[in-house]
């Protein structure tokens, strides 16, 4: 199995970039069968976007729960396990302030 440098076009910015032998070997060692679709700088930009603060917050999974204080349906950012009371945001604020 021998590799050769390949010229690929970035699907994001349209720039031509080289998918070089080392990267092809790396891809194969990881079991990837697809060629990269984006140039290194767009890949980098995507990565930092994905791990950026705002996307982390919006992608956070919410779990349905019932408030132990007022009985209202609410959502919490962790899975309720039943060993701790779960509060809606209003009650949570009240309880935290009263402590
Ligand atoms: Zn690009
Ligand atoms: Zn409540």
């Amino acid at each position: 199995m021998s590799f050769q440098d390949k010229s690929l076009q970035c699907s994001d910015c349209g720039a031509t970039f080289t998918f070089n032998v080392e990267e092809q070997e790396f891809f194969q060692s990881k079991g990837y069968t697809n060629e990269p679709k984006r140039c290194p700088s767009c890949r980098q930009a995507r990565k930092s976007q994905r791990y950026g603060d705002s996307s982390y917050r919006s992608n956070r999974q919410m779990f349905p729960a019932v408030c132990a204080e007022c009985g209202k349906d609410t959502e919490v950012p962790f899975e309720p396990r039943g060993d701790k009371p779960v509060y809606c945001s209003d009650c949570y604020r009240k309880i935290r302030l009263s402590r």
Side-chain angles (χ1 to χ4, degrees), residues 47-82:
K47 236 190 233 170
S48 42
Q49 259 174 22
R50 198 175 312 160
Y51 296 112
D53 264 349
S54 55
S55 63
Y56 171 73
R57 260 197 297 274
S58 61
N59 286 341
R60 196 147 73 157
Q61 199 184 351
M62 298 297 279
F63 296 89
V66 177
C67 175
E69 182 71 15
C70 67
K72 221 163 61 175
D73 286 332
T74 185
E75 282 186 329
V76 290
F78 55 89
E79 194 170 5
R81 288 168 193 253

Side-chain angles (χ1 to χ4, degrees), residues 1 8 23 25-27 29 44-46 50-51 54 60 62 65 68 72 75 84 92-93 95 97 99:
M1 193 70 149
L8 298 175
E23 287 171 318
E25 281 171 352
F26 175 77
F27 261 57
S29 72
Q44 199 57 48
R46 290 222 138 207
R50 198 175 312 160
Y51 296 112
S54 55
R60 196 147 73 157
M62 298 297 279
K72 221 163 61 175
E75 282 186 329
K84 274 187 199 155
Y92 181 72
R93 216 173 300 139
I95 284 158
L97 285 175
R99 264 189 200 145

